[in-house]
Amino acid sequence: MQLTAHSAARASVRGSLAFVTVAALALGLTACSGSDDPVPTPTVTVDPNIDADKNAAPEPVVPIVWPLTGVAVEEVPARPAIAVKVENTAAARPQSGLEDADIVWETIVEYEVSRFIAVFNSSLPQEVGPVRSARPVDLRVVTPANPLFVFSGAQKKMVQRIAKSDVQAISHDAGAAGLSRSSARRAPHNVYANLETIIKAADAEHSAAPAQQFTYAADAATASAAATGTDTKTISLNMSAAAKPSWQWSKDAWKRSEGSAKAMNAKGDQLQAVNVVVIEVEQIDSGLNAQGGTMVPDNVLEGRGKALVATGGKTLEVEWVKKDKKSPLTLEKDGQPINLAPGNTWVELMPKGTGSYKLS
């Protein structure tokens, strides 16, 4: 008769019990034989039944963010940064597209007027401008992001500098696709860029997402200035005789003004920023001259210097540090990195010695 698995198991148990009983009887007979030697008590060692944890410690979760804003995103697309040179005279206002830029740099050029370098990655608007000509400081600002650099044109020596740089030049004067003149304005204030078209021209060396330029906190409340800075309602800047912008804190953003007038975009909204960074830089002669022999300034944007970070209605005095032309500009306080709030940032390159700011 064939045993089932259950019957076989019970037979095995009965056999084991029989063996134990016989062994016990044998020990008892030995004890009764009259020997003076004590009967040894068997020792049983039981090992604990512990399963080792074979799983490694979980990797820390690193959030995916847009590299130029620190804002969370499911996936960063493999597309480059696009830096656009934008005019900022009264004839150019209100500008288009600045509200969609991840980072906007304001610089002082000849005749003490300011111009913007608007850097885009998380958003690619179809209209940015008016686009104007390139200046030497532009390359110092944008090179770390390895961008497509969009400008209307430049004097011959400047075009040569751009050609030798690491950026990809997208020039209206050279006939680049995506740049055109608008009939709504008079030249030279009427060149506009379509970034959806321009990005199609990216070459193999300028197709990847840009490296992160600043460091960002997880949220606005834990940003360095917001957490430890001084309460500030207004930042009034004296960039030059012709450029006196200001920023006023309003609920959840800094709102920009040009002198006493609100700075508006072409959609009718006031320009605003989550972070405002003021960088004190030394201006030098670029070696290029504008019309009438006027000196075109450049900026010393390597080494370190004084800076101000404004986030969440608070300001914090810090230092800026830049190792070389290819390294991003970083912000530090007592040797420790400063974190901005996730969102867009405006950087004011304020001339050292002649520029100043007032907080209120």
Side-chain angles (χ1 to χ4, degrees):
M1 181 178 179
Q2 189 175 1
L3 294 175
T4 64
H6 183 65
S7 300
R10 286 190 294 173
S12 176
V13 172
R14 287 197 297 269
S16 298
L17 291 174
F19 174 78
V20 173
T21 304
V22 172
L25 288 172
L27 288 173
L29 291 172
T30 303
C32 297
S33 65
S35 173
D36 294 332
D37 296 330
V39 178
T41 303
T43 303
V44 179
T45 303
V46 180
D47 293 327
N49 185 18
I50 300 176
D51 292 332
D53 185 2
K54 298 180 180 179
N55 296 323
E59 291 286 338
V61 177
V62 179
I64 300 174
V65 300
W66 287 105
L68 303 187
T69 65
V71 175
V73 64
E74 290 185 1
E75 182 180 1
V76 176
R79 68 187 187 202
I82 303 178
V84 185
K85 192 61 182 283
V86 178
E87 185 180 358
N88 188 37
T89 62
R93 301 173 193 145
Q95 297 94 337
S96 298
L98 292 177
E99 66 276 7
D100 294 316
D102 293 340
I103 304 173
V104 178
W105 300 73
E106 183 171 18
T107 70
I108 301 300
V109 297
E110 64 274 12
Y111 306 113
E112 298 194 352
V113 300
S114 81
R115 284 190 180 172
F116 301 133
I117 309 166
V119 187
F120 301 83
N121 180 242
S122 64
S123 180
L124 300 177
Q126 295 184 20
E127 186 175 80
V128 179
V131 179
R132 289 304 299 269
S133 53
R135 293 294 183 272
V137 66
D138 303 342
L139 295 177
R140 301 185 187 279
V141 167
V142 305
T143 293
N146 193 40
L148 280 66
F149 178 40
V150 181
F151 54 101
S152 62
Q155 58 175 280
K156 184 177 180 179
K157 290 183 179 179
M158 186 63 211
V159 171
Q160 292 172 344
R161 292 188 187 186
I162 296 171
K164 294 178 181 179
S165 73
D166 295 323
V167 306
Q168 180 180 346
I170 306 291
S171 169
H172 177 256
D173 285 359
L179 287 162
S180 60
R181 291 193 182 274
S182 169
S183 59
R185 285 188 172 177
R186 297 176 61 181
H189 318 289
N190 63 346
V191 176
Y192 287 83
N194 183 323
L195 302 195
E196 290 186 354
T197 299
I198 286 172
I199 201 167
K200 296 176 184 178
D203 60 28
E205 296 180 357
H206 300 86
S207 296
Q212 185 170 304
Q213 301 299 293
F214 296 109
T215 57
Y216 298 91
D219 52 43
T222 56
S224 299
T228 63
T230 302
D231 289 338
T232 305
K233 293 182 179 179
T234 303
I235 306 166
S236 301
L237 289 148
N238 177 24
M239 301 277 285
S240 70
K244 300 182 185 298
S246 63
W247 295 91
Q248 296 81 33
W249 177 250
S250 177
K251 294 182 180 179
D252 57 357
W254 295 97
K255 301 295 182 75
R256 180 180 172 90
S257 293
E258 298 283 358
S260 59
K262 293 180 180 180
M264 311 298 287
N265 62 23
K267 297 177 181 179
D269 300 318
Q270 189 173 4
L271 294 171
Q272 63 183 36
V274 173
N275 307 288
V276 176
V277 179
V278 182
I279 303 294
E280 186 180 78
V281 291
E282 181 182 355
Q283 277 199 328
I284 57 173
D285 188 338
S286 69
L288 304 180
N289 293 327
Q291 296 176 350
T294 302
M295 185 268 291
V296 175
D298 195 355
N299 290 312
V300 178
L301 206 56
E302 290 184 25
R304 62 176 60 237
K306 295 180 180 179
L308 180 79
V309 174
T311 304
K314 295 186 178 183
T315 55
L316 185 66
E317 292 184 350
V318 302
E319 276 192 316
W320 66 264
V321 180
K322 197 172 187 300
K323 296 179 181 179
D324 51 52
K325 68 177 182 179
K326 292 187 178 182
S327 299
L329 183 146
T330 60
L331 302 166
E332 297 180 358
K333 178 72 172 179
D334 300 326
Q336 299 300 312
I338 293 299
N339 294 326
L340 302 180
N344 70 323
T345 300
W346 280 61
V347 184
E348 307 281 7
L349 292 184
M350 183 183 73
K352 183 178 180 180
T354 58
S356 61
Y357 63 81
K358 180 181 178 182
L359 307 179
S360 58

